[in-house]
Amino acid sequence: MQPDTSSTLGAYSDEALIQRLPGFTNHYATVNGVRLHYVEGGSGPALICLPGWPQTWYSYHPIAAELARHYRVIIVDIRGMGSSEKPATGYDKKTMAQDIYALLRHLNIEKASLLGHDIGGMVASSFGFNYPQATEKLILADGAHPSEGMRQMPLLPAPGAFNDKMDGQQPYVWWMAFNQVKELPEQLLAGRFHYLLDYLFRYVMLDERQMSAFDREVYAAVYNQPENIRAANAWYQALNQDIADANTYERLTMPVLGIGSNVSFNYLQMSLPYMAENVEVVGILDSGHYMYEEKPAQVVDAVLRFLKHAG
């Protein structure tokens, strides 16, 4: 087990950050052989929230309080993220979904809805495939289960499509390949991760000002650590196994909502009907990939409407 580094993060530790989210508390649980950190607030039906790369549970802070007015909100640092453990293996999304299912059992929750962003959407999708009896509804924000289509992603950008902002029609996600490389990324980025964060937020957000300087420091403090870079990249290095697993699944039958930004709306419209029978896709086209920061009210409206009315 890796040592607890929260004490070295100061103002960016879980203990300090939770003070910015009144009504929420920090928790830890060892489930499925891995120690997970999660925060919890609110009451009502359970809503499990899973973050993506390169963020942590804190990425939900713009929407968590409003969701907690209606639901028991549990935001999990997935395996390899934040203060959760970073083992050498287990980063395929099926194993990560097992982590979440084991956490639900630990919390005596029989059935929950899941909201996943980015990599968190991949894990949420796998949870739906592997534990349909425990899945009430599934919400995928700019992230869905890896599929064969990923193998068609270009090594080179389309002519004229690689500029300061990601092209929503021809997105070029070069880090999908970079993160496949073992050991080199942590050597290059340890203590320097803010350079990648600043570039990424500028590239994939329409209004990068909505990712505050404080938020950037939160994520830099976490991902500056080599072990955290290594573990996060393992989510990407498991994609081939994820695709193989996807080929064994039947279509989902529970209600599924896709929330797509300007860079993912078209992809979700095309891909989700192959994945699930009962699908709705909404677009927040005036936002880039980090929708929780750019358009939190629109995200909350879409999530609450779906959870309350979709059947």
Side-chain angles (χ1 to χ4, degrees):
M1 179 181 295
Q2 286 75 26
D4 182 3
T5 59
S6 61
S7 61
T8 67
L9 298 179
Y12 313 121
S13 68
D14 295 327
E15 292 74 15
L17 293 175
I18 204 68
Q19 303 303 316
R20 293 171 166 263
L21 202 57
F24 281 76
T25 50
N26 281 307
H27 303 272
Y28 299 87
T30 298
V31 294
N32 198 34
V34 64
R35 184 174 185 260
L36 297 181
H37 167 252
Y38 64 97
V39 304
E40 180 174 347
S43 61
L47 176 62
I48 309 301
C49 298
L50 307 178
W53 179 85
Q55 296 181 289
T56 67
W57 72 267
Y58 191 66
S59 68
Y60 276 83
H61 77 88
I63 64 174
E66 187 61 28
L67 295 176
R69 293 180 57 199
H70 309 272
Y71 295 93
R72 179 185 178 185
V73 174
I74 300 168
I75 312 169
V76 186
D77 275 331
I78 55 179
R79 174 186 295 241
M81 174 181 284
S83 297
S84 288
E85 195 174 355
K86 299 161 184 71
T89 61
Y91 294 94
D92 62 282
K93 307 314 168 289
K94 188 173 185 177
T95 298
M96 296 176 75
Q98 290 172 354
D99 296 344
I100 303 305
Y101 180 69
L103 179 62
L104 263 63
R105 296 291 299 270
H106 173 79
L107 296 173
N108 295 314
I109 298 172
E110 293 187 4
K111 199 168 188 178
S113 294
L114 284 85
L115 166 59
H117 176 252
D118 188 79
I119 296 289
M122 297 183 185
V123 179
S125 299
S126 184
F127 186 97
F129 281 123
N130 287 285
Y131 306 102
Q133 77 284 358
T135 310
E136 187 73 42
K137 296 179 181 180
L138 189 60
I139 307 170
L140 307 175
D142 264 24
H145 199 284
S147 67
E148 292 284 355
M150 282 187 164
R151 301 192 193 282
Q152 308 305 315
M153 298 175 75
L155 178 62
L156 295 177
F162 189 29
N163 299 303
D164 286 344
K165 297 290 184 183
M166 182 183 282
D167 188 317
Q169 303 305 312
Q170 302 178 95
Y172 181 55
V173 288
W174 55 266
W175 53 89
M176 300 289 285
F178 178 74
N179 290 352
Q180 298 295 321
V181 181
K182 293 186 177 181
E183 298 183 2
L184 181 61
E186 49 265 47
Q187 292 174 357
L188 295 175
L189 294 171
R192 299 164 57 86
F193 208 86
H194 63 281
Y195 290 113
L196 176 57
L197 289 173
D198 287 344
Y199 170 86
L200 185 70
F201 295 145
R202 181 173 66 251
Y203 181 54
V204 304
M205 296 180 74
L206 292 184
D207 185 0
E208 65 183 281
R209 297 171 300 176
Q210 300 308 313
M211 188 69 69
S212 72
F214 182 84
D215 288 7
R216 294 167 191 246
E217 290 296 332
V218 169
Y219 304 131
V222 171
Y223 288 92
N224 273 336
Q225 302 171 50
E227 278 296 285
N228 295 4
I229 300 170
R230 186 268 306 166
N233 285 4
W235 304 329
Y236 293 84
Q237 292 161 14
L239 291 177
N240 278 322
Q241 181 60 55
D242 299 332
I243 293 169
D245 289 336
N247 292 332
T248 70
Y249 296 147
E250 301 292 332
R251 291 171 78 200
L252 298 171
T253 58
M254 76 286 296
V256 176
L257 173 67
I259 306 177
S261 71
N262 74 313
V263 298
S264 291
F265 176 65
N266 290 339
Y267 167 75
L268 293 177
Q269 274 195 313
M270 291 186 293
S271 64
L272 290 188
Y274 290 98
M275 194 177 107
E277 297 177 3
N278 184 1
V279 172
E280 177 186 357
V281 180
V282 299
I284 303 181
L285 303 183
D286 54 351
S287 175
H289 178 61
Y290 294 97
M291 297 178 285
Y292 298 175
E293 290 82 5
E294 286 199 70
K295 298 294 178 182
Q298 291 186 45
V299 172
V300 168
D301 287 348
V303 169
L304 293 181
R305 181 187 54 78
F306 175 74
L307 291 177
K308 292 179 179 179
H309 302 298

